[in-house]
Amino acid sequence: MGKSVYIAEKPSVAQEFAKALKLNTKRQDGYLESEDSIVTWCVGHLVTMSYPEAYDPALKRWNLQTLPFLPEQFKYEVIKDVSKQFGIVKNILTRKDVDTIYVCTDSGREGEYSP
C-alpha cells in the first residue's frame, strides 16, 4: 500500500494534522514525511486565475466594450512568490509511492479552482 498525502493550508496547520494523526514525521523542505504519510501545505494560494491580458494583450486596459470578459476556457498560473512550494506539492502528488490524497484546506469555494 502506498503513502497518504494530507494537504493543509499552512505549515502550522500541517504540524497540527501530523500531531492529531499521531504521525512520527521527519521535517523535509516543504513537507513532513513518515513511513506511510506525507503532510504538506499550500501557504495560502499556490495558483491564481490569469488576468485578462494573458488571453489578449488588448485586454490589459479595462474598457466597457470588452466587459464582461468571459473566456471559453480559463487560464491559471502559479503565484510567483510561492512557486517553490507549488513545485514541492506537485512533486509529492506525482510520486509513484502516493496512492491517496486528502485535501485538508479550508472548505470554502474561494481557492478551490476546478479547471
Side-chain angles (χ1 to χ4, degrees):
M1 185 167 186
K3 292 191 177 203
S4 295
V5 175
Y6 301 85
I7 305 172
E9 282 288 318
K10 53 189 175 182
S12 62
V13 176
Q15 289 174 329
E16 290 301 315
F17 271 110
K19 187 175 168 183
L21 295 168
K22 296 180 175 31
L23 300 175
N24 183 20
T25 61
K26 287 186 180 180
R27 178 82 185 228
Q28 305 293 336
D29 186 15
Y31 62 99
L32 307 168
E33 187 166 5
S34 72
E35 189 175 310
D36 59 358
S37 299
I38 301 169
V39 185
T40 189
W41 48 86
C42 293
V43 290
H45 295 233
L46 298 177
V47 176
T48 188
M49 295 176 78
S50 297
Y51 284 101
E53 60 265 22
Y55 299 86
D56 182 349
L59 296 173
K60 185 172 176 86
R61 294 188 56 107
W62 291 94
N63 182 327
L64 289 177
Q65 279 65 40
T66 60
L67 295 175
F69 173 68
L70 300 170
E72 287 186 31
Q73 187 168 354
F74 287 91
K75 294 182 180 183
Y76 303 92
E77 52 194 73
V78 176
I79 298 170
K80 188 186 292 186
D81 292 346
V82 292
S83 61
K84 179 182 176 186
Q85 187 64 21
F86 175 86
I88 290 168
V89 172
K90 179 181 176 184
N91 287 338
I92 290 168
L93 296 178
T94 56
R95 281 175 44 167
K96 294 197 183 310
D97 62 341
V98 168
D99 68 3
T100 306
I101 300 167
Y102 297 98
V103 179
C104 308
T105 57
D106 292 344
S107 61
R109 290 276 305 154
E110 182 259 345
E112 295 180 5
Y113 293 137
S114 300

